[in-house]
Amino acid sequence: MIGIALLLLAASIGHALARGLRVPPIPLLMAVGFGLGLTGTLESGFLEESLVLGITFLVFAAGVELDPTRVRQQKKAAFAVGLLQFVILGALGLGASLALGYDLQTGAYLALALTASSTLVAMRVLQRRRQLFEPFGRLVIGVLLLQDLFVILLIPVLTGLPDGTSAVVRGLGATLLLAGLVGPLLRALMPRVLEHLSLDEELLLLVVLAHLFGFLGLAGLLGVPMVAAAFVAGVVLSAFPVNGVVRGQLTSIGDFFTAIFFTALGASIGLPTATELVHAAIFAAVVVLVTPLVVAVVAEATGLSARPAIVSGLLLAQTSEFSLVVGLQGVAVGHLDAGVFRIVVLVTLATMMLTPLIVSSDRVALALLRLHPARRRRETADPPDDHVLLLGAGWSGMQLLETLVISPHPVVVIDDDPQVVERIRTAGVEAFRGDAADPALLSRCGLARARVVVSTVRRPQDNESLLSRAGEVPVLVRAFEDSDAAWLAERGATAVTFGDAAAATFLEWYDRRGWEAADDLADEELEDVL
């Protein structure tokens, strides 16, 4: 009990310092935990149990975020990107480990720790940027799901390999059996339990926790690592709208386990040596420098335009909570020493902190976009003139396009989905595939000569390049919130508020009148300009 009290006290101090200094809490939680560890008041066994409990819940929460149905049309692209990133980073990690003097077994653990990207980091960034349902957002989700599955399957291989082939086969078979429960439970049982039994909040939380611990108990019977069972249990609850209900129940308890885990992690790692710091910097550089290049090249080859492909690479350029799982499993079975585990922790902490800083604005993505070979292409000699320029031809954009094509003015469309562009061209409408924020593409599409520009791009901030170059051309932009509408108005755009459409996204199966009202509003705004 004293150990728990000390961990909670240290976590409280870390959170208070983070709030006072207005910085992310994880580094301070680890720093306070590190100081607590130096006092020698916490037993190593207690810290190990705290780490296992904390990482189990973190992995469970990560699984809740990964709904396989979100991937949809990006399945092939996600498989290609995820597989190549996994293989290339694993090979480079193994090569770097051997070059730095580690043995093959240790190198295999370090390589596996570098291969998976953080679900918690990437999903939070996508949610904050409101890009979960963009094509590249679905691609990132698919890659995360695939990588996590690879890690879960390879952990029993690494831990069982010294015991022979039979141990590997047993561990792998048990893990596959556990993963096989996802489909039936995801589609049938859990949605009915949580949607149709009218559970109150307390009972709902108890059912969710019983679901988690039921999987943990099954993992014990099968001899599967608890973290694998926790991840599978989370994925079972990941389907909409179940995940939204569960996420609300897990927020506070998730914050509790996060604080406990990172404080205990700081208390358990000890002081790194200079050699460990150098090695951690080398491994982190491999992840941060190689991942964006590999992901961007493969994602663009599978159909994404340049800028979303680059952003996807930046979002995936970190190691994962599963990296810590790999390290903990290696320590638990005696395959890794404390120094190697410290390296894994340092790489994970550094890269997970760096990603939000890199993608918090679009500056890094735009800077990398300027280096793209396609930027050297020549602009069209004779851009279109006196036309309607439509940016984004998704669901609402396609509805507008049906209205625009019967107007007396030609229509030019920009969209980053190659299938959408091909379908529009087949219908006889001029369409360009690319990023609506690309100044060169806007120039090729005759932005300065357009009669009116209509943007249905999901994030209003992605229209900043357009608004800065539109001049006197009227610009209508879709907005979901009043703050977005105000932001657009300050930059000279006319905001078309799609509040009804936003609500209809959540309640689509109840009432579709919101979409119709939103489309009518957009049509009225457009007719006023035309």
Side-chain angles (χ1 to χ4, degrees), residues 215-405:
F215 266 86
L216 296 180
L218 183 58
L221 293 175
L222 296 175
V224 175
M226 285 200 305
V227 289
F231 178 74
V232 171
V235 174
V236 168
L237 300 176
S238 66
F240 178 84
V242 173
N243 60 349
V245 177
V246 172
R247 192 185 299 119
Q249 295 298 313
L250 294 180
T251 298
S252 58
I253 194 171
D255 292 341
F256 170 80
F257 279 106
T258 299
I260 289 293
F261 174 75
F262 283 104
T263 305
L265 187 63
S268 63
I269 60 173
L271 187 66
T273 66
T275 300
E276 291 167 358
L277 289 172
V278 172
H279 289 188
I282 293 172
F283 289 123
V286 170
V287 173
V288 173
L289 297 178
V290 174
T291 301
L293 177 61
V294 172
V295 173
V297 171
V298 180
E300 191 169 358
T302 58
L304 282 185
S305 55
R307 185 185 177 199
I310 292 171
V311 174
S312 300
L314 295 175
L315 276 171
L316 294 169
Q318 79 285 133
T319 53
S320 166
E321 52 277 356
F322 274 97
S323 304
L324 301 176
V325 170
V326 172
L328 286 172
Q329 288 295 126
V331 172
V333 297
H335 294 169
L336 299 181
D337 59 30
V340 175
F341 180 63
R342 272 194 293 271
I343 292 173
V344 174
V345 171
L346 291 171
V347 173
T348 302
L349 180 64
T351 55
M352 288 177 69
M353 290 176 58
L354 186 60
T355 295
L357 297 177
I358 292 176
V359 298
S360 60
S361 69
D362 294 322
R363 293 180 181 177
V364 175
L366 292 175
L368 294 176
L369 185 61
R370 297 188 188 99
L371 303 176
H372 196 283
R375 300 280 296 180
R376 303 188 183 96
R377 65 194 175 193
R378 297 181 180 179
E379 296 185 2
T380 303
D382 187 19
D385 185 49
D386 196 32
H387 57 293
V388 178
L389 181 58
L390 175 63
L391 309 183
W395 196 94
S396 56
M398 195 63 72
Q399 301 297 312
L400 286 173
L401 182 59
E402 293 176 359
T403 302
L404 292 171
V405 293

Side-chain angles (χ1 to χ4, degrees), residues 172-196:
L172 191 58
T175 305
L176 288 172
L177 176 61
L178 196 66
L181 297 176
V182 170
L185 294 178
L186 178 69
R187 296 185 181 92
L189 182 61
M190 292 310 296
R192 292 182 181 180
V193 171
L194 297 182
E195 287 186 69
H196 299 300

Side-chain angles (χ1 to χ4, degrees), residues 384-393 397 400-401 404 407 409-415 435-438 441-457 460 462-479 488 491-496 522 525-530:
D385 185 49
D386 196 32
H387 57 293
V388 178
L389 181 58
L390 175 63
L391 309 183
L400 286 173
L401 182 59
L404 292 171
S407 71
H409 304 284
V411 181
V412 177
V413 180
I414 297 177
D415 197 273
D435 181 13
D438 184 351
L441 181 59
L442 291 172
S443 178
R444 292 174 61 212
C445 295
L447 170 61
R449 302 183 183 185
R451 183 178 185 87
V452 63
V453 179
V454 182
S455 175
T456 66
V457 177
D462 288 338
N463 296 283
E464 191 163 11
S465 177
L466 161 69
L467 297 175
S468 65
R469 292 168 173 80
E472 300 299 322
V473 178
V475 179
L476 285 80
V477 180
R478 178 179 64 173
L488 292 166
R491 288 155 179 79
T494 299
V496 180
E525 293 277 5
L526 190 60
E527 289 170 3
D528 290 342
V529 176
L530 294 175

Side-chain angles (χ1 to χ4, degrees), residues 125-185:
V125 172
L126 285 172
Q127 289 168 352
R128 187 172 65 247
R129 291 168 62 99
R130 289 175 289 180
Q131 292 177 318
L132 273 175
F133 299 101
E134 296 290 330
F136 83 90
R138 297 181 187 275
L139 170 70
V140 168
I141 292 172
V143 171
L144 293 170
L145 187 61
L146 183 68
Q147 290 177 344
D148 292 347
L149 180 60
F150 284 160
V151 173
I152 285 175
L153 292 176
L154 287 176
I155 284 177
V157 174
L158 279 182
T159 56
L161 199 57
D163 297 326
T165 305
S166 60
V168 171
V169 172
R170 284 196 303 270
L172 191 58
T175 305
L176 288 172
L177 176 61
L178 196 66
L181 297 176
V182 170
L185 294 178

